[in-house]
Amino acid sequence: MQQPHAAPTPVPSIVMPDAFVSAMNGFERYQRLERARSEHTLRAYRSDLENLLRECASRQVTTVEGIDLTLLRLWMGGLQELGLSRSTLARRSATARTFFGWARREGLVAIDPASRLRSPVPDQKLPHVLQRQQVDRLLQVRTVAQVDGASGQPSVEQKAVRDRDHALLELLYATGIRVGELVTLDLESVDHDRRTLRVLGKGDKERTVPFGQPALNALDDWLRRGRGVLAVAGSGSALFLGVRGGRLGQRQVREIVSKALEELGDTAARGPHALRHTAATHLLDGGADLRAVQEYLGHSSLATTQRYTHVSVERLRESYQRAHPRA
């Protein structure tokens, strides 16, 4: 294997060898059809693999069998020099191990070079969680900043967008669902009488998630007053719609939530996942059973859910420091 031992410099424009394209497509088919990975996971796998294989191609390596542990370590070292976070580095090394484990089973390599590739320990930062008073302020029916130029009042479409944004904020906090789960909801996903959602989570696992009366009220307002304004012939059964009538996308939801959180002015929390963190933490603060919260969030492992207990303990410690006379 011919390669200099200098830090790698990724070359995005380099042509991908046919052997790499074939292996990458085969790995993706396996993950989609046999492992039932979500489109989000598949995109992450493909992005990580393209980064690795283009780096290998830039070093004149054109077959999967030609990749060795030294090259993998150089690739990881170069990524570290680029300043990627430890969690991103950990994900990319995990992708490499998963890919080469598959390649070994498929006979593309005789020896798995990634079996000894060490993974950085991801940063264990506690997520930002909103206080209950902040949640109350966030979920107040918000006025529309822009108004119709002629009347000086919000337009019908702007009112519909306001109802939509209020409903999705209420639902994200009420259920703790992921943004990817929110945007796949259909009208029939909602049981209004039982106040539950039928959610399709990671690995195509379906679960039922309860929500409260405030979220139901906001949903009813959106469905009664707003959805019909934005709906078009091709809207189908999507629960949440964009301004052009199509199904609302993940990027749009992230922008909506981040803007709403930014307008609070007193929190570093950003994005829909902050509401998921907040919902889980508030459940545990209120005495909810850990396994119930695991089912509520759709976690496959209880260890993932246990992370939120650390958040709750930290919040308890902060309250103690502020309030106890001998803190």
Side-chain angles (χ1 to χ4, degrees):
M1 181 175 177
Q2 298 178 352
Q3 59 183 39
H5 291 293
T9 302
V11 185
S13 61
I14 195 165
V15 176
M16 186 84 76
D18 291 343
F20 286 173
V21 174
S22 176
M24 193 159 52
N25 290 339
F27 176 71
E28 185 172 339
R29 281 194 302 272
Y30 168 77
Q31 293 296 335
R32 173 180 281 111
L33 300 177
E34 298 191 37
R35 301 294 293 171
R37 300 299 189 192
S38 69
E39 288 301 318
H40 176 76
T41 300
L42 292 172
R43 285 194 299 271
Y45 274 148
R46 191 168 190 89
S47 173
D48 293 345
L49 273 180
E50 282 187 353
N51 185 272
L52 167 60
L53 297 178
R54 288 188 188 280
E55 172 60 30
C56 295
S58 74
R59 294 175 178 276
Q60 291 75 53
V61 177
T62 58
T63 65
V64 177
E65 193 171 17
I67 303 172
D68 62 11
L69 179 60
T70 299
L71 182 50
L72 290 176
R73 286 173 173 167
L74 286 169
W75 170 61
M76 289 297 295
L79 295 176
Q80 188 170 11
E81 288 182 9
L82 290 173
L84 286 132
S85 68
R86 297 178 73 181
S87 59
T88 300
L89 293 172
R91 191 199 73 204
R92 291 201 173 181
S93 63
T95 296
R97 287 193 297 274
T98 303
F99 171 72
F100 281 103
W102 168 83
R104 175 70 178 83
R105 292 191 298 274
E106 293 294 311
L108 297 181
V109 296
I111 300 173
D112 179 356
S115 61
R116 292 191 293 138
L117 183 65
R118 296 184 62 183
S119 177
V121 178
D123 296 324
Q124 297 297 319
K125 294 181 180 178
L126 294 175
H128 292 291
V129 175
L130 299 175
Q131 303 289 336
R132 295 191 184 189
Q133 299 90 333
Q134 291 173 314
V135 172
D136 290 340
R137 286 163 45 214
L138 179 76
L139 298 180
Q140 290 173 351
V141 178
R142 300 162 61 234
T143 57
V144 180
Q146 295 180 329
V147 297
D148 182 83
S151 66
Q153 297 295 321
S155 67
V156 172
E157 183 179 276
Q158 289 168 334
K159 289 178 180 178
V161 168
R162 179 190 61 190
D163 286 340
R164 180 202 64 191
D165 293 355
H166 182 220
L168 71 83
L169 286 168
E170 282 277 8
L171 206 59
L172 284 170
Y173 174 65
T175 62
I177 59 175
R178 303 174 179 94
V179 62
E181 296 168 343
L182 177 88
V183 298
T184 60
L185 292 174
D186 292 323
L187 294 170
E188 56 268 27
S189 302
V190 184
D191 186 327
H192 294 261
D193 294 331
R194 300 177 61 194
R195 295 207 305 263
T196 59
L197 287 181
R198 190 173 70 255
V199 178
L200 191 64
K202 288 186 176 181
D204 289 335
K205 294 179 181 178
E206 190 173 272
R207 70 186 190 279
T208 299
V209 183
F211 58 87
Q213 189 65 46
L216 179 62
N217 294 341
L219 267 178
D220 285 345
D221 287 344
W222 156 243
L223 294 175
R224 186 180 71 255
R225 303 184 311 211
R227 189 180 184 279
V229 174
L230 301 184
V232 296
S235 294
S237 61
L239 180 61
F240 290 109
L241 304 176
V243 292
R244 295 183 180 179
R247 186 182 291 273
L248 196 66
Q250 292 191 37
R251 179 178 295 180
Q252 293 165 291
V253 175
R254 290 193 178 95
E255 290 174 354
I256 291 165
V257 177
S258 291
K259 182 179 179 181
L261 290 170
E262 185 177 357
E263 288 177 356
L264 284 180
D266 56 358
T267 178
R270 292 291 181 270
H273 222 67
L275 296 183
R276 180 170 165 86
H277 289 315
T278 299
T281 303
H282 289 180
L283 277 170
L284 290 168
D285 285 346
D289 177 77
L290 190 62
R291 288 199 177 275
V293 176
Q294 177 190 4
E295 179 66 24
Y296 171 87
L297 296 175
H299 287 156
S300 58
S301 169
L302 188 63
T304 305
T305 315
Q306 284 176 325
R307 184 184 186 196
Y308 295 98
T309 63
H310 300 308
V311 179
S312 292
V313 169
E314 184 62 27
R315 287 163 63 84
L316 181 62
R317 183 179 292 111
E318 290 174 0
S319 297
Y320 178 86
Q321 293 290 342
R322 287 196 305 268
H324 198 281
R326 290 187 178 272

